[in-house]
Structures are given as C-alpha cells and as structure tokens.
Amino acid sequence: MKTLQGHTNWVRSVAWNSDSTMLASGSVDHTVKFWNIHTGQALKTLEGYTNWLHSVAWSPDGTRLASGSEDQMVRIWDTHTGLALKTLQGHTNWVYSVVWSPDGTILASSSADNSIKLWNAQTGKVLRTLQGHSNWVFAVDWSPDGKMLVSSSVDNTVKLWNLQTGQVINTLQGHTNWVWSVAWSPDGSMLASASEDHTVRLWDASTGELLQTFEHNSAVRPLAWSPDGKMIACSGGDSTVKLWDVSTGQLIKTLQEHTNWISSLAWNPDGKIIASASQDATVKLWNGNTGTSLKTLLGHTSWVSAVAYAPNSEGCIIASGGADEMIKLWDTVTGECLRTLRNVRFYEGMNITGVTGITEAQKATLKDLGAVEN
C-alpha cells in the first residue's frame, strides 16, 4: 500500500473516468486532483478556487472535467494538461452540482442562487438560465436521452424542464421538506426523489403522477437505482440502508450495521452489491439480493463522504473519500485497501519505536505527522 501526496482537507467528491484509469477528487482544501490509479500518482492539482468544492464530473469522452464550487464558479478543465479551459461566471451563490449532457455538448449547474444554468461546453456561454425554484437547488440530473432535465430544491419541489424553451414542464409536489437528491430510472420512465421529510417518492416522468412513497425513520439524502431499475437503495440519518421494490412499493430489506449517517451509496455494475459510505468512518458492502453484510472496509479515521465504483473494474474496485483528507482504493473481493491517496506528512514513515527523551504528547504529535511506532 502506498501513501501519496494528496488533499489537505475533507474530500467531498470522487469521480472515475469512463475507462477507470483515472480518478478525480474535489476537496474543501480548494483543489481538484487527478490520480493515476495504476501508479497511485497525483497527476495534476487544479488550483484557483477560493472556496470549497462541491462536485466534479467527467465529460462523457473523458477529455474534460467540470467542477462546481462555493466560489460561485463552474470550471472546465483539460484532463490531459490540467489547464483551465473555461471559467463559467454567472451564478451569484454556491454551485452545488455540475452534470454533463449525455452527448457532452452542454453542462448543467445548480446553485444556491435558486437557478440552474445550461452552458455551451465548448464556448462557455450561457445557453439558458432555468428559473422557477424559490430556494436553493441542490441537484440536477439529465434524462438518459438528454432531452429533459430534473432538479430538486430546498423549496420542497422537484421540477422537470423543457430544454428548448427553458420552461417548467411539471412541478412535482408532495414533499414537505427539503429535497436533497433526485435521479432518473435507468430507462428514463420514472424519477426518485429523497427528502428531509423522511420519504423517498417515486414519480412517473411523463405525467408527474406520484407512484409510490417510501417511508423512512429520518431524513433521506443519498439514493441509488439498481442498474436494472427494479430496486432503489436509500439512506440517511437513521444509519440504515433500505432496499425498495419499485414495482410493488414494498420494503425488501433494511440493512443495519452502520452507527452514524450514511453519506453515499453506489451499486456495482451488475447490481449484485451495494456500497455504503458513512460518518462512522466505514464503507460497507452488502449483497443486493439478500441484504447480507459482505464486508466492512476499515481504514478511514473520520467521516466517509463519497464512494464510487470504477466502471471498468467488473465491480472489483471502489474509491472512497472523506473528512480524513484521504482517498482509498479498495478491492471489493478481498476487502483489501489497494492504495491510500493522501498528503505526505512531514515525518511520514519515521520509526520512533524505543525513542527516549520525548513526552507522550510529543510522541502523539509525531504520529500525527506520520511517524510510526511498532
């Protein structure tokens, strides 16, 4: 296992490129980093931000990376050179999410200024500003065919947008508190939304009809569709993952082992395993059919805020990032930590076993700076 130069503060987001050869990470330390997962090297550090990074997203062809930050900017980077291609200015508050259209020509961004902006990814010009929410817009997601956009907001609603006119097609009402996340089903026929009101709601994407309401015991934040669209995994403040049958609305299983908030969920590509990342400093792997706990991945020392499967690893490699400034790559078959991507500390690897003349407090400080004691 290698320890490598990395972030100096909380890692908020991680994202793989399409062929799983590179990983991008965004952090509270105001930087984005590109990693070569074969060598473990930090290839590029992208600087210029003046506030926290909320999201990073690869273009479909892998040549560009978009990022959204609390400095109100959207940036597009060349993933080969690390140069900033475009700085997109126009939002007047934090940028929460950035999402590429399926064909990579348009970038959508959502913001705490209550708007969504559509940007020409080549020129950086604003194509449209979608206005209709009355409060912060947390999440946006493109329909699989790229013809519509959906958004969720602090105003308790989900909205569907016509991209040609910039008008709202439908406002999905029913939530009674903030809507944290929203996602299309794989076939584009349904939408799922997760809310602070302790529910996940399932909607018909064409009519806006409410199809199912899934009840939880606490606020629900992350949700993830199974690859076949038959199940939804949801989690949040009650430290559990719930698996729901989309067609019947029945609760299939409640996965209980975490001891704190669950921050992120991801299905492996074949839909057989779910990974959950938690503020209890663990990542857990679950059998998606039976709900059995398969492995607990230990090694983080603080909140784990993001987890993502490598697309081309046949579901065998995941990345996790958290408040301990580290990104970890895991073998999901063995549970082994393959690499830890983090900042090289001043006394990294120094062996202080048997050293005399220092106090316990001084020894603890040296360990915090990378020293080891056998």
Side-chain angles (χ1 to χ4, degrees):
M1 182 174 70
K2 296 182 180 179
T3 300
L4 306 156
Q5 184 174 4
H7 289 290
T8 58
N9 210 322
W10 181 12
V11 178
R12 291 293 303 269
S13 56
V14 293
W16 293 92
N17 69 343
S18 59
D19 64 7
S20 303
T21 57
M22 292 174 63
L23 187 74
S25 55
S27 170
V28 172
D29 69 6
H30 305 179
T31 70
V32 172
K33 290 182 181 288
F34 290 140
W35 304 91
N36 182 310
I37 63 125
H38 297 302
T39 65
Q41 297 300 309
L43 300 174
K44 302 285 181 186
T45 297
L46 312 182
E47 298 177 312
Y49 302 94
T50 60
N51 214 324
W52 294 11
L53 270 293
H54 274 286
S55 59
V56 292
W58 292 85
S59 63
D61 64 4
T63 62
R64 292 163 295 170
L65 187 88
S67 57
S69 167
E70 288 191 7
D71 66 8
Q72 306 177 11
M73 306 293 185
V74 176
R75 290 175 174 84
I76 299 177
W77 304 86
D78 185 305
T79 59
H80 297 297
T81 66
L83 296 176
L85 298 174
K86 300 290 178 186
T87 298
L88 312 182
Q89 301 182 49
H91 284 297
T92 58
N93 209 327
W94 301 351
V95 178
Y96 280 114
S97 61
V98 288
V99 189
W100 294 88
S101 61
D103 64 5
T105 62
I106 301 174
L107 188 67
S109 57
S110 68
S111 170
D113 66 8
N114 307 352
S115 78
I116 301 149
K117 289 187 181 291
L118 304 181
W119 311 85
N120 183 308
Q122 285 298 119
T123 67
K125 301 296 184 183
V126 177
L127 299 173
R128 290 195 181 279
T129 297
L130 309 182
Q131 295 179 316
H133 284 293
S134 59
N135 214 321
W136 300 358
V137 186
F138 280 135
V140 287
D141 194 25
W142 290 89
S143 60
D145 62 10
K147 294 180 179 179
M148 288 190 291
L149 199 71
V150 67
S151 58
S152 64
S153 170
V154 173
D155 67 10
N156 305 350
T157 70
V158 173
K159 290 183 183 290
L160 280 164
W161 302 88
N162 181 313
L163 303 184
Q164 298 301 315
T165 65
Q167 299 301 306
V168 176
I169 299 170
N170 217 331
T171 297
L172 311 183
Q173 296 179 309
H175 284 295
T176 58
N177 210 322
W178 299 4
V179 186
W180 286 102
S181 55
V182 64
W184 294 85
S185 61
D187 66 2
S189 66
M190 291 177 285
L191 292 161
S193 55
S195 172
E196 191 76 10
D197 69 5
H198 303 189
T199 71
V200 171
R201 292 174 189 261
L202 189 65
W203 313 86
D204 184 299
S206 297
T207 65
E209 178 189 358
L210 178 63
L211 302 175
Q212 305 281 359
T213 299
F214 305 143
E215 301 280 348
H216 285 245
N217 298 320
S218 185
V220 191
R221 295 191 178 179
L223 64 83
W225 289 86
S226 62
D228 63 7
K230 294 181 179 180
M231 288 188 288
I232 297 177
C234 318
S235 59
D238 66 0
S239 309
T240 70
V241 180
K242 292 186 185 294
L243 300 181
W244 297 92
D245 184 302
V246 169
S247 62
T248 66
Q250 296 300 305
L251 178 63
I252 300 170
K253 204 78 176 178
T254 299
L255 315 183
Q256 297 176 299
E257 279 195 7
H258 283 296
T259 58
N260 207 328
W261 275 85
I262 296 169
S263 310
S264 182
L265 295 170
W267 292 83
N268 75 335
D270 66 10
K272 294 180 179 178
I273 300 174
I274 308 162
S276 56
S278 171
Q279 292 182 12
D280 66 10
T282 70
V283 175
K284 290 184 180 289
L285 304 179
W286 312 84
N287 184 302
N289 293 318
T290 66
T292 304
S293 176
L294 302 175
K295 285 185 170 57
T296 299
L297 309 182
L298 300 171
H300 282 288
T301 59
S302 188
W303 297 1
V304 188
S305 52
V307 64
Y309 271 95
N312 284 356
S313 68
E314 297 181 350
C316 295
I317 299 176
I318 58 172
S320 59
D324 57 7
E325 306 169 9
M326 292 188 286
I327 300 164
K328 287 182 176 287
L329 305 183
W330 306 90
D331 183 317
T332 61
V333 176
T334 65
E336 177 190 1
C337 179
L338 301 174
R339 298 188 190 282
T340 299
L341 315 180
R342 71 177 181 189
N343 192 52
V344 177
R345 295 165 293 179
F346 193 74
Y347 293 109
E348 198 72 61
M350 176 189 286
N351 193 325
I352 58 173
T353 304
V355 171
T356 59
I358 60 174
T359 66
E360 288 301 312
Q362 290 170 327
K363 186 182 293 186
T365 298
L366 287 172
K367 288 181 178 180
D368 285 341
L369 294 173
V372 295
E373 184 177 28
N374 298 327

